[in-house]
Structures are given as structure tokens and as C-alpha cells.
């Protein structure tokens, strides 16, 4: 299957290009990505994969060369280690240290892995070659003879292919910025030591890893969930393991099928490929059996202590009066709970752990509660439901999960997780922590997001002001940008408050090289400029929608002797001033008509031989023709007005009073063809996503302003 390899022109991924040619994997070269972007392989199916190492692994698996990914799983793991280590080759002062290490490694070897050429050899060879003169100087010095022997052998065996690649992409100074993987592409959790790389995913074995993404169906996925989903996907792929999507549907009061359907939609949008979808509710019978078993073993008990009193006792380490009830008494009350009787609804099941433990999560946590609300999948069959703390370790163990990825906010509950598994007599599941993703001016609590929906502060869960996956995509974010943003952070445990500007900057680098350009003029007090020597009859020129990207197509631009300018532009022009009309030429303003100090009309003449370099004002304009379309330009602001809310602060006290602004404008006729979801640039205004396309002349096209990472988008005034 032929694929297109996109990368920035100044930093070609030499290892990918070389490996593809040697492996016989057909790729089309597309050096059009914005500077700093991650190499991406696009397939004809519409699918794509990001990052140097991810693409290299795909090539290795698709190769016609039998040993390209090693001869067995152990060799494949060694290949993976070399892919990670190769990035050290181009890391400044460590270059010679890396060369020395590889030289010693190759002293008794012909190839880096096994007894044949693998992709590991190509990656290290390419990274050395990519440094240009730096490697050539060491090569001539005969300092690292084993490394040079190996390098020359690979070069000779594949001379035609490698010579073609290096002559095309490598100069004397090398290929510039390293194409090797940055932190965003390295496997999170790898650490270096004297003996090489040590995998920090506890007990992980290639082919045996099973991870799970377990959202609660009580809302749509937001950017924080996206991080968890993508990290689980990353580890499943990295270790050639399984990924389970499991809905933690244990609270019928908050959950619905709408949320299930949209979470699955969001997972698909993120490009997460999973092996199976399961539900905690599938295990309700077994969970109830386990709860009853723990009661019989004296490891759990029924408690009817009022909720607030129970919370206070747990904080103070005070044992409940029910803690030492007999097994028979507990089983009777458990039956009342299962039947949902009035007495049963006053009770809950608690684990008998340790009320004196400094870690308060171990102070007899709640395992089961009564809830009379019908469940979205099983209806009213059950009157009792397990808590997350009880159900999660149980189902993890039953489903064969080897590593449970959890955000570090749950750190204090890790001991509880392991203790509950131990009391249940189930195998250990390793917990792997990563930092929760926090964004400035943003609440990610689903309870708080639900408040905005229920109180009509937003349209719904897909509102462009929301941090949900559907919300930010509707705002104009490309999913490639979100993936790149999240993978840059890896599985770090450091808590960070992230800026939205960084995410939108990545997004701009993706959309700017390809999105079509159009023109809009704000309707408010727009000013007519009459060109006395303009064309007697309007004429049309076919111009590119994007001057540097043919794929954006063409647009028809009408030139006439009466054109519209925005008031903000017209109000700063002086009589006799020469200005540039973009995509046309210069004009000289001869007369300015005003009404009580407000500019109402301009008169000028074309001066097309004038130099555009000499003018201060470069103006967007639209010919005064009937075909202009109506636009509604919508700009958004944060829902809260404080960068970071402290734990004791109520978000309701920090609501932003104005989060949506709208301005009417005139647009060029070509915008009739802009599709829903398409991203365009309005010249001198910024980037916009089409939310409502052209339907009829009386209904405006609705465009949502997309932040560019530099400044707040400005649909109300003309941008610079």
C-alpha cells in the first residue's frame, strides 16, 4: 500500500527514507510540513501515523527483508532499544560518547541485532550520516575502527540506495536539525544507565502487555481523557499488546447511552485502535459474589453510619460502631441492600482495612452503595452498585490487564488498589502513573462541565468553548495537533499547568500550509472606495486559494471600480496617500467624505505601476457586487477568568461574563463552496473553521475563529 511521507523540508527524516528504499516499501516524498512538525505517514485509506520511530516500526513490519525487525521477539525488542538509543547520536556533546559505545558494541559483531541487516542498522547509519562533516572527521581519524568497519560495510552493501538518499538530502554540514525522535516520540518510561536502557513499565514483556482505557460514561471525553487514551494506545503498540476500552458504568444516576456513543466517537476521532469494548456492568454478578465472599471472610462489613458522620470518622481514624458486627448480621443487611428495601438503602458495604493507616484511602473505603435509579444498560435489575475503588481492581484482574495507567492524582489510592486485590485473592496488576493534564483557564471536572450544559452557559458538550474532544475540534483544532501536543508530554509524572497557546501554535503549523485564503470585510460602517479610473465593467481573474499550495485549488476574484473597505482601514487613510489593494496593486486616495467625523466614502484612482514596497497600508477589499455572501464571524473566550483555580476556590465565583462575540461581515463569493468543518484563513484576520456552510443568501455562513497561539483572535476588528 503506497503511502505519502510528509516532513519539513529543512529536516528530512533520513532514516525513514533510507529504510523504506531498502525495505521495498513504496512511499511518496512530500516535504511540505511546517518547520518543527513531526514526520507523518499518510495512507490512501485516510489513516496516518506520527513520529520517526512509529513510522520506522511500520516499515520494519512491512519490509521484504526477512530480518528487518529481528528474527524473533527478543531480537525485535533489541531493535526497539536501538531505535530509542539512536536519538543520542545527534545530541550535541554526547555524540562521541555514543560513537565510543557503539564501537565497543560492534567489536565482535557484524550487525547491531542478530546475524542480518535490521532497521536498527539503517537508523544508526542514517543518524551518523546525517551529521555530515562531524561524522566524516571521526571516520577519517580511525578512532573508532569497529564502528567505521560496520559503517563502511553497510554503505558498500547498499551503495546505490544509500548514495541516492545521501546525495539528495545530506550536505557537508549534514541535514541540519536531527530527524531523530525527540522526547515526544521516545517511549515514556525509558531511563538510561550504565548498562543501556531499562524499561520502566514494571514487568513489561513484548507481546504480553494488556492495558485498558476506562472512561465513565457520564460525559464526553475531554482533553485530559485524550491524554490517557493516547498513552494507553502508545504502550499497547509499543509492546505489541492489547488495549481494552472499558466503560466504568457503576453510577446509573450520571450515565447514559448518549455518553457511551459519544465516547466511542471521540475514541475513533483520536485514532485509538482497541481490541475490545467491555463494560463494568458485564461483571455485576461476579462483583456481587466477591462482595458477599469478603463479607463472609470478615474482610468487609455493612455500615449504616450517616454519610457525613462516616466521612468525619474516617478523617479522624474512628472505627464505625458497625465494624465488629457478626458475619450473620452483615449478610442479613447485605440482603436488604440487594433487595433495595428501606433499611437496605440506609446501608453501604465497607472494606475492613485499617482505620489507623496514615493513608486515609485505606480507612475502610466504601465498596457498595444502594441506588434505585435504572441503569442505562441493565435497567432496574440491580439496586446496589459497586464503587470505582472496588470494581476497578477486580475487573482489571479478571480481564487480564497487566498495567493500569492512572493519573498521579490517584497516587494515594495505589496502596488501596493493591490491598483490595490482595483481599480478593487476585493477581497483582501493576499501576503506572502519569501526570494529569491541566489547562489554564479551564475546568475539566465533568461535574463542573455538566453545570455549564444544564445552566445553558454553553450549547452542549460539543460547544467550541468546552475542553471536550468534540468541542476543541469544532473550534478548529486538528486532531494531529492534539496528538502531537499530548505525546510531547509523554508519561511524565510532573504536574504541569499547560498553556492553550502551545496547542494552538502546533495547530497553526498544520493548517497554515494548506488552508485556502479568502477575504472578508466587516459590515459595521464599511466604506465604499470609488476608483475613478477603475474598470468600466467588472472582470474576473482566477487566482490560487493558497499561493504556496496548489492543492487548495483556485478562486475567482472580481475587480470593479467600486470596492468595499473596512472602516478600521478607511479611518486611518489620508488624502493623497498611496495604499496597496492586496492581489491588485496600488491606489492613491484623492478624496475622503465624512459625516460628523465618521468616514463615509472614499474616492481614489488606481496607480498599478506604484511599488507595493513603498506603501504603509496593505488593504483587503471586496468588489461591490451582488454575489457577496453574508458571514457571521464568531470569537470565543475562556469560560472562567482565572488562570488556575485553587482547591478551595469555587469556579462559580470566577465565571467569565462574556465568552462569545459575533460580528457580521461580507465575504467573497467563493466562500459559497466552503464545506462544514473546513478550515480557511481570512486575509489579515486569522484562521476560521466553517461551522455552518452556505445554504441560502439570507442565512449567513458561520465561521468560528481559531486561536493561532500568538494572540486572541479578533473577529471584531481587522487583524494585522
Amino acid at each position: 500500500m503506497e503511502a505519502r511521507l510528509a516532513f519539513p523540508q529543512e529536516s528530512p527524516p533520513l532514516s525513514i527514507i533510507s529504510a523504506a528504499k531498502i525495505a521495498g516499501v513504496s512511499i511518496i516524498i512530500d516535504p511540505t510540513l511546517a518547520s518543527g512538525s513531526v514526520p507523518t505517514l499518510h495512507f490512501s485509506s485516510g489513516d496516518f501515523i506520527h513520529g520517526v520511530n512509529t513510522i520506522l516500526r511500520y516499515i520494519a513490519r512491512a519490509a521484504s527483508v526477512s530480518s528487518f525487525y529481528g528474527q524473533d521477539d527478543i531480537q525485535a525488542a533489541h531493535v526497539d532499544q536501538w531505535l530509542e538509543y539512536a536519538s543520542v547520536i545527534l545530541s550535541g556533546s554526547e555524540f562521541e560518547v555514543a560513537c565510543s559505545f557503539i564501537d565497543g558494541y560492534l567489536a565482535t559483531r557484524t550487525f547491531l541485532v542478530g546475524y542480518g541487516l535490521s532497521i536498527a542498522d539503517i537508523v544508526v547509519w542514517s543518524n551518523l550520516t546525517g551529521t555530515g562533516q562531524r561524522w566524516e572527521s571521526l571516520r577519517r581519524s580511525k578512532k573508532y575502527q569497529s564502528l567505521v568497519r560496520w559503517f563502511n560495510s553497510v554503505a558498500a552493501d547498499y551503495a546505490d540506495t544509500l548514495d541516492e538518499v545521501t546525495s539528495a538530502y545530506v550536505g557537508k554540514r549534514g541535514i541540519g536539525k536531527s530527524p531523530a525522535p525527540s522526547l515526544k516520540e521516545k517511549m515514556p518510561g525509558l531511563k538510561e544507565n550504565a548498562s543501556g536502557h531499562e524499561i520502566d513499565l514494571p514487568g513489561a514483556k513484548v507481546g504480553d502487555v494488556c492495558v485498558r482505557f476506562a472512561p465513565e460514561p457520564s460525559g464526553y471525553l475531554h482533553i485530559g481523557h485524550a491524554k490517557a487514551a493516547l498513552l494507553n494506545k502508545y504502550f499497547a503498540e509499543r509492546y505489541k499488546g492489547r488495549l481494552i476500552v472499558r466503560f466504568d458504568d457503576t453510577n446509573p444516576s450520571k450515565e447514559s447511552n448518549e455518553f457511551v456513543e459519544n465516547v466511542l466517537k471521540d475514541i475513533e476521532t483520536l485514532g485509538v485502535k482497541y481490541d475490545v469494548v467491555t463494560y463494568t456492568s458485564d461483571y455485576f454478578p461476579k462483583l456481587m459474589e466477591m462482595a458477599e465472599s469478603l463479607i463472609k471472610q470478615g474482610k468487609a462489613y455493612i455500615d449504616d453510619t450517616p454519610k457525613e458522620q462516616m466521612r468525619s470518622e474516617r478523617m479522624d481514624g474512628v472505627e464505625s460502631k458497625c465494624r465488629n458486627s457478626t458475619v450473620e448480621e452483615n449478610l442479613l443487611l447485605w440482603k436488604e441492600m440487594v433487595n433495595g428495601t428501606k433499611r437496605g438503602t440506609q446501608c453501604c458495604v465497607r472494606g475492613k482495612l485499617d482505620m489507623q493507616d496514615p493513608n486515609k484511602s485505606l480507612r475502610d473505603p466504601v465498596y457498595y452503595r444502594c441506588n434505585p435509579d435504572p441503569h442505562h444498560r441493565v435497567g432496574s435489575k440491580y439496586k446496589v452498585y459497586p464503587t470505582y475503588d472496588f470494581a476497578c481492581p477486580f475487573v482489571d484482574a479478571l480481564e487480564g490487564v497487566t498495567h493500569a495507567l492512572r493519573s498521579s492524582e490517584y497516587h494515594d489510592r495505589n496502596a488501596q488498589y493493591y490491598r483490595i486485590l490482595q483481599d480478593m485473592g487476585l493477581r497483582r496488576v501493576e499501576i503506572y502513573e502519569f501526570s494529569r493534564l491541566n489547562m489554564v483557564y479551564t475546568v475539566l471536572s465533568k461535574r463542573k462541565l455538566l453545570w455549564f450544559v444544564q445552566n445553558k452557559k454553553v450549547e452542549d458538550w460539543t460547544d467550541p468553548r468546552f475542553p471536550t474532544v468534540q468541542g476543541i475540534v469544532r473550534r478548529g483544532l486538528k486532531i494531529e495537533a492534539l496528538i502531537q501536543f499530548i505525546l510531547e508530554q509523554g508519561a511524565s509524572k510532573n504536574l504541569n499547568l499547560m498553556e492553550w497557546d502551545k496547542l494552538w501554535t502546533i495547530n497553526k503549523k498544520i493548517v497554515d500550509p494548506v488552508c485556502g485564503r479568502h477575504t472578508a470585510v466587516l459590515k459595521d460602517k464599511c466604506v465604499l472606495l470609488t476608483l475613478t479610473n477603475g474598470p468600466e465593467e467588472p472582470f474576473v481573474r482566477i487566482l490560487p486559494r493558497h499561493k504556496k499550495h496548489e492543492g487548495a485549488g483556485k478562486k475567482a476574484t472580481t475587480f470593479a471600480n467600486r470596492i468595499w473597505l473596512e472602516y478600521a482601514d478607511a479611518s486611518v487613510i489620508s488624502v493623497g496617500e498611496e495604499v496597496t489593494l492586496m492581489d491588485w496593486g496600488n491606489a492613491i486616495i484623492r478624496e475622503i467624505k465624512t459625516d460628523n467625523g465618521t468616514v463615509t466614502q472614499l474616492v481614489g484612482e488606481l496607480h498599478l505601476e506604484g511599488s507595493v514596497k513603498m506603501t504603509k497600508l496593505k488593504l483587503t477589499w471586496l468588489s461591490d457586487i451582488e454575489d457577496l455572501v453574508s458571514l457571521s464571524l464568531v470569537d470565543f473566550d475562556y469560560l472562567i477568568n482565572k488562570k488556575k483555580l485553587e482547591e478551595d476556590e469555587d469556579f462559580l465565583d470566577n465565571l467569565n461574563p462574556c465568552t462569545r462575540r459575533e460580528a457580521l461581515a461580507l465575504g467573497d463569493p467563493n466562500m459559497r463552496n466552503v464545506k462544514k468543518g473546513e478550515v480557511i484563513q481570512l486575509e489579515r484576520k486569522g484562521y476560521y473553521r466553517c461551522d455552518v456552510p452556505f445554504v441560502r443568501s439570507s442565512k449567513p455562513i458561520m465561521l468560528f475563529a481559531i486561536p493561532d497561539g500568538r494572540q486572541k483572535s479578533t473577529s471584531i476588528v481587522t487583524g494585522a
Side-chain angles (χ1 to χ4, degrees):
M1 178 170 56
E2 193 168 61
R4 175 172 59 87
L5 177 65
F7 56 86
Q9 187 169 8
E10 74 276 8
S11 54
L14 198 65
S15 56
I16 296 176
I17 299 169
S18 301
K21 285 187 173 294
I22 290 174
V25 176
S26 178
I27 58 173
I28 299 170
I29 301 300
D30 178 17
T32 59
L33 280 187
S35 177
S37 298
V38 174
T40 304
L41 193 63
H42 297 270
F43 299 97
S44 55
S45 64
D47 205 354
F48 59 88
I49 53 178
H50 277 296
V52 173
N53 282 355
T54 303
I55 297 171
L56 285 169
R57 291 187 182 101
Y58 163 77
I59 292 171
R61 293 187 180 100
S64 56
V65 182
S66 61
S67 62
F68 226 38
Y69 210 173
Q71 298 285 5
D72 53 38
D73 287 345
I74 294 176
Q75 289 190 9
H78 286 310
V79 169
D80 284 333
Q81 284 186 323
W82 279 108
L83 296 190
E84 308 300 339
Y85 187 73
S87 60
V88 181
I89 292 292
L90 293 175
S91 57
S93 61
E94 296 183 2
F95 178 73
E96 287 207 36
V97 174
C99 288
S100 177
F101 169 78
I102 301 171
D103 181 66
Y105 182 85
L106 287 168
T108 58
R109 293 176 172 87
T110 304
F111 299 99
L112 290 173
V113 177
Y115 301 100
L117 183 84
S118 72
I119 201 164
D121 296 290
I122 300 305
V123 170
V124 175
W125 191 95
S126 299
N127 280 323
L128 287 170
T129 302
T131 64
Q133 196 63 42
R134 188 178 190 186
W135 162 242
E136 286 303 316
S137 297
L138 283 178
R139 188 180 177 190
R140 288 193 298 269
S141 72
K142 298 183 180 179
K143 190 173 182 181
Y144 305 115
Q145 294 186 11
S146 297
L147 178 58
V148 171
R149 166 187 53 76
W150 165 85
F151 183 91
N152 292 341
S153 174
V154 174
D157 289 346
Y158 298 92
D160 292 344
T161 300
L162 295 176
D163 285 349
E164 178 188 345
V165 174
T166 53
S167 62
Y169 297 104
V170 184
K172 287 185 178 181
R173 295 186 179 180
I175 59 173
K177 192 173 181 181
S178 167
S182 62
L183 286 175
K184 74 191 84 170
E185 299 164 32
K186 287 183 181 178
M187 177 189 162
L190 284 180
K191 61 184 181 182
E192 293 178 26
N193 57 25
S195 61
H197 286 116
E198 194 173 288
I199 296 173
D200 209 12
L201 199 57
K205 294 180 181 179
V206 173
D208 291 342
V209 168
C210 179
V211 292
R212 49 75 171 156
F213 174 55
E216 181 186 1
S218 57
Y220 291 31
L221 290 193
H222 58 56
I223 190 170
H225 299 126
K227 178 177 181 178
L230 289 169
L231 285 175
N232 275 285
K233 170 182 181 285
Y234 182 86
F235 280 117
E237 293 177 351
R238 169 67 178 82
Y239 289 101
K240 302 177 187 176
R242 297 178 70 241
L243 170 57
I244 297 169
V245 170
R246 182 202 310 144
F247 285 98
D248 177 42
D249 55 344
T250 58
N251 188 346
S253 302
K254 295 181 178 180
E255 299 157 0
S256 71
N257 285 320
E258 175 201 351
F259 294 139
V260 170
E261 292 165 3
N262 280 281
V263 166
L264 289 173
K265 178 181 177 181
D266 294 338
I267 289 171
E268 182 180 357
T269 298
L270 291 169
V272 174
K273 307 294 184 186
Y274 49 83
D275 292 276
V276 65
V277 174
T278 65
Y279 298 81
T280 299
S281 55
D282 294 337
Y283 302 92
F284 279 174
K286 291 183 178 179
L287 282 159
M288 292 177 68
E289 289 175 10
M290 177 56 73
E292 188 166 322
S293 173
L294 293 176
I295 292 171
K296 290 177 178 178
Q297 295 175 58
K299 295 179 180 179
Y301 61 96
I302 309 299
D303 195 352
D304 62 358
T305 304
K307 190 174 182 179
E308 291 304 318
Q309 181 182 338
M310 185 186 299
R311 180 180 289 114
S312 176
E313 288 178 352
R314 287 191 72 197
M315 293 299 293
D316 297 336
V318 176
E319 291 187 2
S320 166
K321 59 180 173 49
C322 304
R323 196 172 198 268
N324 296 312
S325 299
T326 66
V327 170
E328 291 73 19
E329 290 171 330
N330 285 325
L331 287 174
L332 283 173
L333 288 175
W334 168 243
K335 188 175 181 180
E336 296 285 333
M337 288 181 64
V338 170
N339 292 329
T341 66
K342 182 177 180 180
R343 176 69 177 124
T345 57
Q346 298 168 348
C347 302
C348 67
V349 180
R350 293 179 69 180
K352 189 182 286 187
L353 304 187
D354 185 353
M355 285 300 293
Q356 306 306 315
D357 198 294
N359 183 341
K360 293 182 175 63
S361 75
L362 289 168
R363 294 182 181 179
D364 292 8
V366 175
Y367 285 173
Y368 256 92
R369 288 193 180 96
C370 284
N371 191 331
D373 293 340
H375 189 277
H376 65 96
R377 290 188 75 231
V378 296
S380 299
K381 183 177 180 179
Y382 300 99
K383 307 300 180 185
V384 290
Y385 291 92
T387 60
Y388 174 85
D389 291 337
F390 182 74
C392 186
F394 178 83
V395 181
D396 281 348
L398 256 62
E399 290 190 331
V401 172
T402 60
H403 297 81
L405 272 64
R406 309 212 310 186
S407 64
S408 52
E409 65 185 301
Y410 290 105
H411 178 76
D412 288 345
R413 291 189 180 184
N414 291 352
Q416 179 202 80
Y417 180 95
Y418 289 131
R419 172 63 188 274
I420 292 174
L421 278 176
Q422 180 181 328
D423 281 2
M424 290 176 173
L426 299 174
R427 65 175 182 82
R428 183 180 174 90
V429 178
E430 297 294 343
I431 292 174
Y432 191 86
E433 290 186 340
F434 60 91
S435 65
R436 172 178 171 150
L437 180 60
N438 295 304
M439 306 295 295
V440 296
Y441 299 107
T442 304
V443 293
L444 292 177
S445 159
K446 282 191 281 190
R447 176 182 61 82
K448 295 173 183 176
L449 294 177
L450 181 62
W451 181 90
F452 282 100
V453 175
Q454 292 177 334
N455 288 275
K456 308 297 182 185
K457 300 295 183 182
V458 294
E459 292 177 32
D460 53 28
W461 289 87
T462 72
D463 192 285
R465 291 162 289 190
F466 252 22
T468 55
V469 172
Q470 293 185 47
I472 54 182
V473 167
R474 190 177 172 200
R475 181 81 176 266
L477 187 78
K478 293 296 182 182
I479 210 66
E480 301 99 303
L482 178 59
I483 292 171
Q484 183 176 333
F485 174 74
I486 288 173
L487 291 185
E488 279 183 353
Q489 300 163 54
S492 166
K493 297 176 179 62
N494 298 325
L495 293 174
N496 292 314
L497 186 65
M498 303 300 295
E499 297 281 350
W500 283 100
D501 285 350
K502 184 176 181 181
L503 176 56
W504 292 116
T505 297
I506 295 171
N507 193 62
K508 178 186 175 182
K509 291 178 180 178
I510 292 172
V511 301
D512 180 75
V514 296
C515 69
R517 270 55 170 170
H518 290 274
T519 302
V521 171
L522 293 174
K523 276 187 177 180
D524 186 33
K525 298 189 292 187
C526 58
V527 176
L528 200 62
L529 166 58
T530 301
L531 299 167
T532 55
N533 62 341
E536 293 183 8
E537 294 293 332
F539 68 91
V540 175
R541 286 180 184 158
I542 304 301
L543 301 175
R545 285 180 77 213
H546 190 308
K547 293 175 183 176
K548 296 181 180 179
H549 178 57
E550 286 187 16
K554 306 288 185 181
K555 62 182 178 181
T557 301
T558 301
F559 297 79
N561 58 17
R562 286 161 52 92
I563 63 175
W564 290 107
L565 302 179
E566 288 200 351
Y567 183 81
D569 288 334
S571 63
V572 297
I573 297 174
S574 305
V575 174
E577 183 174 0
E578 187 166 353
V579 299
T580 296
L581 304 175
M582 293 174 64
D583 288 332
W584 195 349
N586 286 3
I588 300 173
I589 305 304
R590 299 301 185 188
E591 183 181 355
I592 299 176
K593 298 181 180 180
T594 61
D595 182 7
N596 293 324
T598 300
V599 177
T600 57
Q601 193 174 350
L602 302 176
V603 178
E605 59 186 40
L606 290 171
H607 184 232
L608 299 181
E609 61 273 22
S611 171
V612 298
K613 295 180 181 180
M614 304 302 293
T615 58
K616 183 174 73 172
L617 297 177
K618 302 334 189 244
L619 309 179
T620 43
W621 54 275
L622 288 171
S623 290
D624 181 23
I625 55 176
E626 292 183 358
D627 289 342
L628 297 181
V629 296
S630 294
L631 307 176
S632 174
L633 307 183
V634 185
D635 197 6
F636 301 100
D637 203 351
Y638 299 115
L639 290 171
I640 60 173
N641 54 25
K642 189 170 184 182
K643 196 168 189 177
K644 180 185 178 183
L645 291 178
E646 301 302 330
E647 288 188 12
D648 58 346
E649 287 187 289
D650 190 341
F651 76 100
L652 295 176
D653 296 330
N654 294 276
L655 297 179
N656 193 342
C658 180
T659 61
R660 189 182 194 276
R661 300 187 301 277
E662 190 170 353
L664 297 178
L666 298 171
D668 68 68
N670 302 279
M671 295 177 70
R672 282 180 165 84
N673 301 319
V674 174
K675 298 179 177 61
K676 180 181 176 69
E678 183 177 349
V679 172
I680 63 172
Q681 183 184 42
L682 296 181
E683 300 280 9
R684 298 178 62 229
K685 290 188 180 302
Y687 304 94
Y688 289 79
R689 178 191 175 275
C690 178
D691 194 63
V692 179
F694 180 81
V695 178
R696 56 183 178 272
S697 298
S698 59
K699 186 176 182 181
I701 298 170
M702 185 167 289
L703 301 176
F704 289 168
I706 305 173
D708 61 7
R710 291 188 301 113
Q711 58 188 16
K712 287 188 177 181
S713 51
T714 51
S715 60
I716 306 303
V717 296
T718 303

